[in-house]
């Protein structure tokens, strides 16, 4: 396959940035999108040019490092898939692809397709944890968890913190990410002690980071590679109201 790429090149946060056109001939359909970028980069390095900077780590859809807009869709056109798991067989010979970094004020561009997502870390540090005494592991069934809650908590825990939900949201809201963490912990007995302070602190931190508010557009759910559902946002909103009005 021959693919034409238009890639956002930006040297640093202060650079204006621009789209640059590249031709990648001989793309193997079994390559992942990132492997296709590797091939492009090898060619650029051989020509003495700067390779395209992009984030990646596991390349198996579990770490949350990768991500870019491909033709305006976060992580590209395949639902429920990270960019590293998107294979070139989902494109056609001769396709022209526009590849850009996540666009959100809270995610400033570091270089090319790499953005700074430490705002997510600060939201987690504000309340996305439980406080528990360390020691030996408790017995498996010492704290019983209803099956339905365990399943829902597990689904919410699948969030890998990639930031696609923010990038796709017209408000650049971090609600799906934040609500996934709040649901994950709020559905389990271990998360109850700090449930109220968690939601209040995390929402306050998201506001301080200048993420937008959720207006139920649903683009986040559509592009989430881990199929996190909008229902987690409803649960976060209920927790937020209960924490502020008192009583659940
Ligand atoms: S909710 Fe989905 S899109 Fe958002 S950070 Fe988590 S995994 Fe990524
Ligand atoms: S590189 Fe880890 S999820 Fe894509």
């Amino acid at each position: 396959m021959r693919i034409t790429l238009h890639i956002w090149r930006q040297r640093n946060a202060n650079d204006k940035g621009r789209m640059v056109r590249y031709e990648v001939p001989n793309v193997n359909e079994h390559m992942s999108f990132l492997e296709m970028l590797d091939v492009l980069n090898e060619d650029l390095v051989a020509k003495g040019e700067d390779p395209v900077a992009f984030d990646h780590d596991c390349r198996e859809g579990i770490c949350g490092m990768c991500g870019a807009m491909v033709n305006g869709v976060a992580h590209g056109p395949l639902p429920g898939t990270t960019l590293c798991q998107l294979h070139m067989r989902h494109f056609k010979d001769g396709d022209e692809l526009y590849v850009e970094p996540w666009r959100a004020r809270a995610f400033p561009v570091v270089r090319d397709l790499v953005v700074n997502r430490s705002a997510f870390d600060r939201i987690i540090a504000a309340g996305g944890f439980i406080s528990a005494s360390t020691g030996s592991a408790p017995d498996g069934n010492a704290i019983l968890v209803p099956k339905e809650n365990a399943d829902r908590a597990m689904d919410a825990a699948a969030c890998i913190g990639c930031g696609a939900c923010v990038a796709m949201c017209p408000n650049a809201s971090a609600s799906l990410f934040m609500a996934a963490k709040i649901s994950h912990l709020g559905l389990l007995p271990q998360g109850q002690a700090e449930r109220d302070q968690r939601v209040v602190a995390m929402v306050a931190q998201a506001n301080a980071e200048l993420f937008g508010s959720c207006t139920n557009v649903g683009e986040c759910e559509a592009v989430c590679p881990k199929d996190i559902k909008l229902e987690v946002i409803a649960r976060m909103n209920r927790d937020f109201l209960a924490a502020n009005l008192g009583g659940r």
Side-chain angles (χ1 to χ4, degrees):
M1 302 164 69
R2 182 182 192 88
I3 299 288
T4 302
L5 296 171
H6 299 264
I7 301 185
W8 184 258
R9 302 301 312 262
Q10 184 174 342
R11 297 191 70 79
N12 54 49
N14 299 323
D15 182 19
K16 226 170 121 206
R18 68 202 192 286
M19 297 299 277
V20 179
R21 180 190 169 110
Y22 300 102
E23 295 291 334
V24 191
N26 303 324
V27 172
N28 185 308
E29 63 173 5
H30 300 301
M31 283 176 182
S32 69
F33 199 91
L34 299 190
E35 286 165 342
M36 186 263 301
L37 292 180
D38 290 338
V39 170
L40 168 67
N41 277 347
E42 277 173 15
D43 189 42
L44 291 177
V45 170
K47 288 195 279 198
E49 295 178 32
D50 271 348
V52 176
F54 61 92
D55 256 335
H56 62 105
D57 191 357
C58 70
R59 296 199 177 203
E60 52 186 20
I62 57 172
C63 77
M65 281 302 288
C66 68
M69 306 297 282
V70 179
N71 288 351
V73 180
H75 286 302
L78 202 65
T81 307
T82 54
L83 195 64
C84 61
Q85 289 289 291
L86 175 65
H87 289 86
M88 296 312 294
R89 56 182 167 272
H90 299 292
F91 298 96
K92 294 193 305 296
D93 182 33
D95 269 357
E96 215 157 315
L97 307 177
Y98 291 79
V99 188
E100 298 172 77
W102 292 163
R103 304 272 187 204
R105 194 165 167 190
F107 288 164
V109 172
V110 175
R111 189 180 178 93
D112 299 337
L113 305 177
V114 178
V115 298
N116 183 343
R117 284 170 291 179
S118 46
F120 267 12
D121 297 336
R122 290 188 289 273
I123 291 175
I124 294 298
F129 53 82
I130 61 159
S131 301
S133 304
T134 53
S136 58
D139 285 346
N141 290 323
I143 305 175
L144 296 178
V145 181
K147 170 86 167 76
E148 191 187 334
N149 285 4
D151 288 348
R152 285 194 166 148
M154 196 68 183
D155 288 347
C159 168
I160 53 175
C162 63
C165 45
V166 173
M168 206 64 200
C169 174
N171 307 326
S173 169
S175 288
L176 197 70
F177 161 77
M178 201 163 42
K181 307 301 171 193
I182 287 168
S183 282
H184 161 210
L185 298 174
L187 283 160
L188 297 174
Q190 295 88 338
Q192 298 310 308
E194 291 149 319
R195 187 166 167 183
D196 287 351
Q197 68 198 67
R198 174 180 307 116
V199 67
V200 171
M202 290 177 76
V203 169
Q205 189 62 40
N207 290 339
E209 301 288 351
L210 303 180
F211 288 106
S213 298
C214 174
T215 51
N216 291 317
V217 175
E219 294 279 3
C220 55
E221 183 187 72
V223 298
C224 175
K226 296 295 150 185
D227 289 328
I228 304 292
K229 300 295 179 206
L230 283 179
E231 68 174 43
V232 296
I233 297 181
R235 197 173 294 119
M236 174 178 74
N237 290 343
R238 277 200 302 275
D239 271 15
F240 188 77
L241 276 177
N244 282 290
L245 298 178
R248 171 169 288 113

